[in-house]
Amino acid sequence: MKKISALSANIKCFFNKLTKFRGFLVAGILYVVLVIGIIHIATWETSRLMSFTEKEIIGIKYIHALSHLLEDIQERRYLMRKYLKGEKVLIEKIALTKVRINEHISSIDKLDKKYGSFLRTKVGWSHIKTDWRFLKSKSFNFDIEENYAENTLLIEEILSLIRCISDTSNLIIDPDIDSYYLMDSIVLKFHQFTEKVSQLACINKHMLLKKSSIDLFEKQQQTLLRYQAKELQEDIIDNLQKVFSKKPSLKRRLKVYMQDFNFSTNIFFAHISNLKLDGKTKLSEFNYKVMYSSYNLISAQMQSLENLLINRKNKYVNEIILITVGILFVSALAAYYFGMFYVQKKEADELRKMFLATLAHDLKSPLISVQKALELIKSRSSTIALSEFNEYLEDIYYTNEEVLKLVVDILSISQYEGKELHVEPKECNIEDIIENSVKIIKYIAKEKKASICIKVGDDVPHVQADETELIRVIVNLIVNAIKHNRENLKISIEAQKRGKDILVSVSDNGMGIPENEKELMFEKYKTAKRKVGTGLGLYLSKQIIEAHKGKIWFDSEINKGTTFYFTLPT
């Protein structure tokens, strides 16, 4: 039972502590949310462009895979046409093409499973697979024209899917000129070109094999396909020249492929323009070279485009990282300074409370004494002797003087901190200032049986200073030494020239200052553990010396004494 009670008390204590930090915790959470919001807004445009580019990279990977599939299906169509016309030796090549097509379909299946919903390709890809299964099972049952038509239909479906991907993956609306022209060649030009050339090769093969003269329709079809292919070739070359002007580095990579493509295509077109019946072998050779050089160039362009997109994505990633790190750094800096401000404000509040409590104590005691003395005087008791009456008046006078000094110190500090009080320097003799200071406190020194020795160097010049304020500093230092030490204290006040400054020191052989209090000596409300005193004297002295462009510091050793130093420029 006792353990449960103890646990309950601990939990209650924990939640009480947590409640104290609830406001700070809520502010911290809101600040984190604000920072996240700023990061999101600052990186929104870059993140959008990065997502746009990532989608393009996915699209180009899918199209690259479809391109390999398209190449093998076009080759299979050409081989099947020759096989059905009697070239039975091609059966092994047709079988190898079938294996490659199945491998391509398997790899595209993986891509479609991963990105199909994203690119909206599932329906189109499903139709292509269905048509391929039908085609490979029925190919040898079709006649030449049926086989050609079914293969062409499958090719059109692949080209349609490529166009669909170019839309859904943002490739068709790419914002950069260099990548746009590469994309335009790959998606809209090259695959159409290869299909036109493939169809043209099939038609010319058919025309070469005919025993009778070529009819007008076939001639018109050949001319149309040749014109369309030639136009696409010119567009492809033009696009590449534009890319090279923007990206000279791509020219070194693609120039050889482009020259090979252009050369083989021009020879192919020149050959079919002068079609002869004995040109059967050369036609197959030229068609192969065109298709080979075309797909080599397509593959190189796709790789170049993918590299461009990856580099662009990396640039966006680096921008996002840079922006995020920058905002986090600034936010952390702001949080640090806010935390420091909060801690300092809290400490200042605590010190202010401490000061007010000490001030109330310092004012209360003398005011009570005054009140009691006044009550006795007011009573006009006949038993009060004249000497006693005068003693009461003297006590009231000195008590009021102490309270007035305290108030003056507080007002002086307020004026120095608010930069409202400016020292009024005039030429002064430092020895006179020290002697006048000692005269002011001679009764306090006499009461505590303290002896004061003054030593001023002969070479000490006059200084430009506010005499009243310097007297206040020296009086503060002497009074502190007397009040906080035992009787029979020995105090030494010295002044000497030190470079361009005058160095003044006030030494005593008292108890010294404890190590843990040294850092607080010039703080405003350092006297938390003292019974009386607001701890304003040294703080005010520091303000006065610094207003004179001087410095103040001290050395102290326990049971050996303390020496306060300050400098004044001459």
Side-chain angles (χ1 to χ4, degrees):
M1 195 69 182
K2 289 182 179 179
K3 290 183 178 180
I4 294 173
S5 299
L7 181 62
S8 176
N10 289 334
I11 292 172
K12 187 176 180 181
C13 180
F14 171 75
F15 279 106
N16 286 338
K17 288 181 180 178
L18 192 63
T19 304
K20 293 179 182 178
F21 294 99
R22 184 170 56 190
F24 190 75
L25 185 64
V26 170
I29 292 171
L30 290 175
Y31 185 72
V32 170
V33 170
L34 177 64
V35 170
I36 292 171
I38 292 171
I39 291 173
H40 177 73
I41 293 169
T43 60
W44 182 83
E45 179 62 18
T46 308
S47 297
R48 185 189 68 80
L49 291 172
M50 188 180 74
S51 298
F52 186 98
T53 306
E54 284 177 338
K55 207 171 182 181
E56 287 184 289
I57 292 170
I58 293 168
I60 205 67
K61 285 179 179 178
Y62 205 129
I63 291 174
H64 203 165
L66 287 173
S67 179
H68 291 309
L69 176 64
L70 182 64
E71 180 182 7
D72 283 327
I73 289 178
Q74 286 174 334
E75 183 180 354
R76 188 177 187 279
R77 178 180 62 181
Y78 183 73
L79 293 172
M80 283 298 298
R81 190 176 183 89
K82 293 174 72 175
Y83 174 83
L84 293 173
K85 286 184 177 291
E87 297 184 37
K88 302 301 180 182
V89 293
L90 296 175
I91 189 67
E92 289 185 7
K93 284 188 176 181
I94 293 170
L96 288 173
T97 308
K98 178 182 173 182
V99 171
R100 289 201 303 270
I101 290 172
N102 286 331
E103 289 174 351
H104 295 323
I105 287 174
S106 178
S107 64
I108 295 170
D109 266 335
K110 293 176 183 177
L111 286 171
D112 195 69
K113 187 176 181 181
K114 191 174 182 180
Y115 304 118
S117 299
F118 180 64
L119 295 174
R120 300 197 294 275
T121 57
K122 285 191 174 294
V123 174
W125 176 241
S126 178
H127 287 162
I128 290 171
K129 289 194 295 181
T130 301
D131 289 349
W132 164 245
R133 284 193 294 268
F134 172 76
L135 183 60
K136 71 179 178 179
S137 64
K138 300 290 184 180
S139 289
F140 294 97
N141 299 328
F142 291 141
D143 59 24
I144 294 174
E145 297 305 324
E146 287 174 336
N147 183 77
Y148 180 83
E150 290 296 332
N151 276 284
T152 302
L153 178 62
L154 182 58
I155 289 168
E156 286 298 329
E157 287 179 347
I158 295 171
L159 291 173
S160 177
L161 186 60
I162 289 174
R163 287 190 293 270
C164 171
I165 293 169
S166 69
D167 288 334
T168 57
S169 66
N170 301 326
L171 284 166
I172 200 70
I173 53 171
D174 188 274
D176 286 3
I177 295 297
D178 48 3
S179 50
Y180 171 79
Y181 283 119
L182 281 176
M183 178 280 306
D184 183 58
S185 292
I186 293 166
V187 176
L188 302 178
K189 302 290 191 301
F190 247 120
H191 293 108
Q192 292 182 44
F193 171 80
T194 58
E195 178 57 12
K196 299 297 180 185
V197 168
S198 182
Q199 289 180 14
L200 191 57
C202 289
I203 288 174
N204 279 279
K205 184 74 173 177
H206 175 69
M207 292 168 67
L208 284 169
L209 291 172
K210 287 182 69 173
K211 301 295 183 182
S212 57
S213 61
I214 301 170
D215 60 43
L216 182 61
F217 175 75
E218 288 175 330
K219 188 66 177 175
Q220 288 175 340
Q221 194 176 12
Q222 181 208 45
T223 302
L224 178 61
L225 285 170
R226 187 175 66 234
Y227 172 78
Q228 291 173 338
K230 187 67 177 175
E231 192 175 50
L232 287 167
Q233 177 203 9
E234 291 171 356
D235 288 342
I236 290 167
I237 298 300
D238 184 55
N239 280 351
L240 284 172
Q241 294 295 350
K242 289 175 181 176
V243 171
F244 295 160
S245 66
K246 295 289 182 182
K247 291 279 185 182
S249 59
L250 290 179
K251 185 175 182 179
R252 292 189 293 272
R253 174 177 171 78
L254 299 177
K255 187 177 179 181
V256 174
Y257 295 105
M258 184 189 74
Q259 289 173 342
D260 186 34
F261 161 77
N262 208 28
F263 178 75
S264 59
T265 302
N266 288 336
I267 290 179
F268 176 76
F269 286 147
H271 182 74
I272 61 174
S273 297
N274 301 294
L275 188 64
K276 298 179 181 178
L277 293 180
D278 61 350
K280 181 168 60 174
T281 304
K282 287 186 178 180
L283 180 62
S284 298
E285 181 184 337
F286 293 145
N287 177 57
Y288 171 78
K289 286 183 177 179
V290 171
M291 298 300 285
Y292 179 77
S293 63
S294 297
Y295 278 104
N296 276 347
L297 183 54
I298 289 174
S299 183
Q301 284 191 98
M302 283 188 177
Q303 190 59 54
S304 298
L305 178 57
E306 188 173 350
N307 289 339
L308 282 174
L309 295 173
I310 289 171
N311 290 337
R312 189 190 302 168
K313 177 191 168 183
N314 291 337
K315 184 188 78 171
Y316 293 143
V317 169
N318 291 334
E319 284 180 11
I320 290 171
I321 291 172
L322 188 64
I323 292 169
T324 303
V325 169
I327 292 173
L328 287 175
F329 176 76
V330 172
S331 302
L333 206 61
Y336 170 76
Y337 282 112
F338 175 78
M340 291 293 290
F341 170 77
Y342 176 81
V343 170
Q344 289 174 358
K345 185 177 181 300
K346 194 171 182 181
E347 288 178 352
D349 289 341
E350 290 295 325
L351 289 171
R352 191 175 292 108
K353 289 177 184 177
M354 188 188 307
F355 167 70
L356 291 173
T358 307
L359 182 62
H361 177 272
D362 285 355
L363 289 174
K364 183 179 178 182
S365 297
L367 288 175
I368 288 174
S369 299
V370 170
Q371 181 69 19
K372 293 294 183 184
L374 289 173
E375 285 176 359
L376 287 171
I377 293 170
K378 188 179 178 183
S379 67
R380 297 177 182 178
S381 174
S382 57
T383 58
I384 301 176
L386 182 61
S387 59
E388 191 177 354
F389 184 83
N390 288 335
E391 187 180 338
Y392 287 147
L393 285 178
E394 190 174 341
D395 287 345
I396 291 170
Y397 174 81
Y398 284 114
T399 301
N400 185 70
E401 191 175 41
E402 286 294 318
V403 172
L404 184 61
K405 182 180 178 299
L406 183 62
V407 172
V408 168
D409 281 350
I410 294 170
L411 290 174
S412 297
I413 286 173
S414 175
Q415 289 172 328
Y416 272 104
E417 287 182 338
K419 303 186 185 299
E420 296 171 4
L421 185 63
H422 300 281
V423 294
E424 298 178 0
K426 61 181 180 180
E427 189 171 303
C428 304
N429 186 325
I430 193 67
E431 187 172 7
D432 292 341
I433 291 173
I434 293 171
E435 288 177 351
N436 290 333
S437 302
V438 171
K439 285 178 184 177
I440 291 171
I441 53 86
K442 66 180 180 179
Y443 294 108
I444 299 174
K446 185 178 180 181
E447 184 182 350
K448 292 291 274 295
K449 300 176 182 178
S451 63
I452 301 174
C453 173
I454 300 173
K455 184 180 178 182
V456 178
D458 295 333
D459 60 342
V460 174
H462 289 189
V463 293
Q464 293 292 323
D466 190 319
E467 184 174 349
T468 304
E469 295 300 306
L470 285 185
I471 288 173
R472 179 183 291 188
V473 171
I474 296 172
V475 167
N476 274 333
L477 296 177
I478 298 170
V479 169
N480 276 348
I482 293 171
K483 280 187 176 181
H484 299 293
N485 284 295
R486 57 185 177 271
E487 292 184 350
N488 299 312
L489 188 71
K490 292 182 179 179
I491 298 173
S492 175
I493 305 173
E494 297 184 8
Q496 55 185 304
K497 192 172 184 301
R498 188 180 182 182
K500 295 183 179 180
D501 297 331
I502 292 175
L503 176 66
V504 180
S505 62
V506 179
S507 306
D508 65 62
N509 63 342
M511 297 179 292
I513 299 169
E515 197 68 32
N516 62 341
E517 292 184 15
K518 287 183 178 180
E519 291 184 2
L520 304 173
M521 289 308 295
F522 291 107
E523 296 296 324
K524 198 183 328 186
Y525 312 127
K526 64 181 175 56
T527 55
K529 295 182 179 180
R530 284 167 49 186
K531 292 182 179 179
V532 292
T534 57
L536 299 176
L538 288 177
Y539 178 79
L540 182 58
S541 298
K542 185 173 183 289
Q543 299 293 318
I544 293 170
I545 295 300
E546 287 179 352
H548 282 82
K549 310 299 182 186
K551 295 180 181 179
I552 185 169
W553 71 97
F554 68 92
D555 289 326
S556 183
E557 192 172 344
I558 296 297
N559 296 324
K560 289 191 176 181
T562 301
T563 302
F564 277 88
Y565 302 92
F566 66 84
T567 59
L568 295 169
T570 56

